[in-house]
Amino acid sequence: MSTALDLALLAASWTHVFLAPYTKVEESFNLHATHDVLFYGVEWASLPKYDHFVFPGAVPRTFVGSILLAWVSTPFLRFAQYFDLLVSKSDIQVAIRLVLATCNVAGFAYWRRSVADRYGRKTSLLFVLITICQFHLPFWMGRTLPNMFALLPVNIALCKLWKRAKNATKPTPAAIDIAIALMVFSGVVFRAEVAILLASTVAQILLSGWAPLKRVIKVGLISAAVSIVLTVIVDSYFWQQWPLWPELYGLYFNVIQGKSSEWGVSPFYAYFTTHLPKLLLASLPLVLIGAITDHRIRSLLIPSISFVFLLSFLGHKEWRFLVYVIPVFNVAAAQGAAYLTTRKLGTIWGRLGFLLTAGCIGINLCATIVWTVSSSQNYPGGDAMARFNEMYAQEKHVHVHISNLAAQTGASLFQQVHTPPYPPWAGNTALWIYNKTENVTPAQLTANRQITHAIAEIAPSNAANSFDGTRFPRGSWKLTGVVESFDGLSLDMNALKRGLTEAWQVLKFVKSEKLAILERAGRRRI
């Protein structure tokens, strides 16, 4: 049963990777950094080829996660290559995302074992069911956001504080030291907001008398010094700036200078009223039941709720800033579900408890299916690149311009399958040019005769079947493909009138044309 539950977590995360293999702009830095480490190596002479130098301007982020992901992925890539599971660079993108997802699943498997030791096997089973039936964690744990690199060490840190015998009153000193060190490392290297979670956790450690202040300060300072030295050495080298501490730079840029507010400001209560319910879905009432019925759950939740409260003082809010504490809330939900399902089924309260638990998990599953389907249809750039690469695979010389929308929605370096650097096993000799120059008008693209193709954005009012030359001259370009993506959901109540066999069609996934694949008219294919 234990192994089966871990495999269920793995299957859920892998399924999301396969259903939505492409990435968006917020994932691009770490994804492209991993690409560059894999293909160019880490020698000084190779650094000018790295994407952040070819396309400068990105706010510095750490290379530590990307280097670790590339190194951990290498043996798995060789294994997949040996069994002919990799065909092109695009397959490598899927493979490294599977590796990242697997690493994060290991953290959740550790959580599950901690829950089993502390609360029992039934709660452990319900923890897995609740986690895999939510959307955000399984979908995103295989994506190269900095938050997903920080998720594993934070998960281990929190587990260290709670993985103990049922009757134990506090964690061991070694467990406390490891927890503090891992959260310090995550905050210093990957995501600065982890420092807020560290502060709320340390407050509980001190107030509960688990460790003396002197020991906490000592462990914190040593781990902070080691983490700072690591990130400064690594990132100063890869960014060729000395000294550079990316997370401190990001903290200054986003918080001190207030640049994060340019991405939107939410009210103070948004985390509690919007983001947390969106992440937990129907598990939220189970969290409340767990907290009411078990004092251990209340103690477990205190640092996480404090973290959400303190984080609310920042104007710019995103769900991913909360991702580290969702496993904690899921433990609470699982314990609440265990309480409800241990009532005698022969009583009205037993039946109601079982129905409430099953209903919450069922609602989560339905919402996750809808979100997964819609999200998998929301990467037009990746779909366009895959179709374009296949359509013109037999040509040796292609120069394609990639629009900004395509670049932001899946057209990553791994999708540039017909240009160097090639994997040694690919056997490809094509010399395509994938051009991502920004702010180029259709007239400029038309005037540049070297450009043979374009993956162009379709204006909302300009459907592909009426692509009438208002943007690209009709005589100069011809339309060879159109890519749609998800716009929203609509209800077709008439489906209910057509009978039960068509009732499932009541929910419609609305899509529209987003990108056009264009070929220069009259060009000679080579």
Side-chain angles (χ1 to χ4, degrees):
M1 175 62 76
S2 177
T3 302
L5 292 177
D6 293 342
L7 290 176
L9 288 166
L10 186 66
S13 64
W14 278 34
T15 298
H16 283 291
V17 173
F18 286 121
L19 290 177
Y22 307 118
T23 58
K24 287 194 175 180
V25 62
E26 59 265 29
E27 307 161 57
S28 62
F29 172 76
N30 284 297
L31 184 74
H32 290 167
T34 305
H35 168 280
D36 294 338
V37 171
L38 282 172
F39 283 98
Y40 297 123
V42 297
E43 293 80 8
W44 181 266
S46 301
L47 296 186
K49 301 176 184 177
Y50 276 41
D51 186 69
H52 67 291
F53 288 128
V54 176
F55 296 97
V59 175
R61 289 294 183 190
T62 183
F63 269 82
V64 172
S66 298
I67 294 170
L68 292 174
L69 179 58
W71 288 350
V72 172
S73 299
T74 297
F76 295 97
L77 293 174
R78 290 175 179 171
F79 175 84
Q81 175 194 342
Y82 180 81
F83 287 98
D84 296 325
L85 299 176
L86 301 177
V87 177
S88 66
K89 282 195 287 189
S90 61
D91 296 327
I92 298 178
Q93 175 172 309
V94 174
I96 65 171
R97 287 191 53 209
L98 291 175
V99 171
L100 178 59
T102 303
C103 291
N104 277 319
V105 165
F108 279 85
Y110 190 47
W111 255 116
R112 187 197 60 73
R113 284 168 169 76
S114 302
V115 171
D117 292 343
R118 186 71 170 161
Y119 302 103
R121 292 184 179 181
K122 187 171 189 177
T123 304
S124 171
L125 168 63
L126 289 165
F127 170 77
V128 171
L129 285 177
I130 289 170
T131 300
I132 65 178
C133 289
Q134 291 170 338
F135 169 74
H136 285 84
L137 275 175
F139 184 84
W140 284 92
M141 68 172 64
R143 297 189 167 275
T144 52
L145 286 173
N147 312 77
M148 297 304 125
F149 287 102
L151 184 60
L152 175 60
V154 172
N155 268 341
I156 296 173
L158 294 175
C159 286
K160 281 292 181 184
L161 296 175
W162 296 100
K163 185 176 173 59
R164 56 186 190 265
K166 291 182 180 181
N167 298 323
T169 58
K170 63 179 181 179
T172 65
I176 294 173
D177 293 347
I178 293 172
I180 292 174
L182 286 174
M183 279 198 275
V184 168
F185 169 78
S186 301
V188 167
V189 177
F190 294 124
R191 289 299 309 181
E193 70 265 11
V194 176
I196 301 176
L197 179 59
L198 171 65
S200 59
T201 302
V202 166
Q204 185 182 46
I205 290 172
L206 296 176
L207 292 174
S208 301
W210 293 351
L213 176 62
K214 183 177 180 181
R215 184 182 182 93
V216 170
I217 293 175
K218 179 181 178 181
V219 173
L221 289 177
I222 293 174
S223 52
V226 173
S227 300
I228 291 170
V229 170
L230 172 66
T231 187
V232 168
I233 290 176
V234 170
D235 294 307
S236 297
Y237 174 82
F238 280 94
W239 285 92
Q240 296 186 4
Q241 301 177 34
W242 180 267
L244 178 64
W245 177 2
E247 270 311 291
L248 181 62
Y249 181 94
L251 185 68
Y252 175 77
F253 181 83
N254 289 312
V255 179
I256 306 301
Q257 292 188 320
K259 297 294 184 180
S260 63
S261 61
E262 297 177 2
W263 298 98
V265 175
S266 301
F268 179 86
Y269 52 80
Y271 278 135
F272 291 99
T273 60
T274 302
H275 297 293
L276 203 54
K278 180 173 70 173
L279 291 166
L280 296 174
L281 299 175
S283 305
L284 187 55
L286 298 177
V287 174
L288 298 176
I289 293 171
I292 292 170
T293 58
D294 193 325
H295 68 91
R296 297 171 301 173
I297 293 297
R298 294 193 291 273
S299 179
L300 176 67
L301 286 173
I302 287 173
S304 296
I305 295 175
S306 301
F307 166 70
V308 178
F309 175 77
L310 292 172
L311 201 61
S312 298
F313 284 95
L314 298 178
H316 179 64
K317 297 175 175 64
E318 295 184 37
W319 69 264
R320 59 192 177 99
F321 299 157
L322 302 182
V323 70
Y324 322 104
V325 297
I326 298 306
V328 177
F329 285 98
N330 283 351
V331 172
Q335 184 67 353
Y339 173 82
L340 292 175
T341 54
T342 51
R343 306 303 96 187
K344 291 183 179 180
L345 282 177
T347 65
I348 183 64
W349 296 113
R351 289 192 289 269
L352 285 175
F354 181 83
L355 288 175
L356 177 60
T357 300
C360 289
I361 293 175
I363 291 171
N364 283 1
L365 181 60
C366 291
T368 294
I369 291 172
V370 172
W371 252 325
T372 300
V373 172
S374 58
S375 297
S376 65
Q377 299 174 359
N378 204 21
Y379 295 85
D383 291 330
M385 286 284 281
R387 189 183 304 182
F388 181 83
N389 288 331
E390 183 178 358
M391 287 171 59
Y392 299 98
Q394 302 305 314
E395 297 194 31
K396 291 290 185 182
H397 300 287
V398 167
H399 186 150
V400 56
H401 180 266
I402 300 169
S403 68
N404 189 47
L405 176 64
Q408 291 185 351
T409 58
S412 70
L413 292 178
F414 285 100
Q415 306 310 117
Q416 298 181 12
V417 299
H418 295 301
T419 190
Y422 289 118
W425 39 263
N428 199 328
T429 58
L431 298 173
W432 288 21
I433 297 175
Y434 295 86
N435 186 334
K436 295 191 294 184
T437 305
E438 297 182 1
N439 302 319
V440 182
T441 66
Q444 291 172 324
L445 291 177
T446 303
N448 186 348
R449 302 297 298 182
Q450 292 181 335
I451 296 176
T452 59
H453 299 80
I455 299 177
E457 183 176 352
I458 299 174
S461 61
N462 202 21
N465 56 14
S466 62
F467 212 72
D468 56 3
T470 56
R471 298 179 65 204
F472 287 83
R474 179 180 293 274
S476 300
W477 300 89
K478 62 180 180 179
L479 182 68
T480 60
V482 173
V483 174
E484 298 180 330
S485 75
F486 178 76
D487 281 331
L489 297 171
S490 68
L491 295 177
D492 181 10
M493 303 309 296
N494 291 325
L496 297 176
K497 301 177 183 179
R498 294 194 290 268
L500 292 176
T501 56
E502 297 188 31
W504 63 274
Q505 297 181 4
V506 66
L507 190 64
K508 298 285 187 181
F509 292 84
V510 180
K511 297 195 293 184
S512 65
E513 298 168 339
K514 292 296 195 302
L515 294 171
I517 299 175
L518 304 174
E519 179 180 357
R520 189 177 291 274
R523 68 176 288 267
R524 181 165 161 252
R525 296 192 174 189
I526 302 176

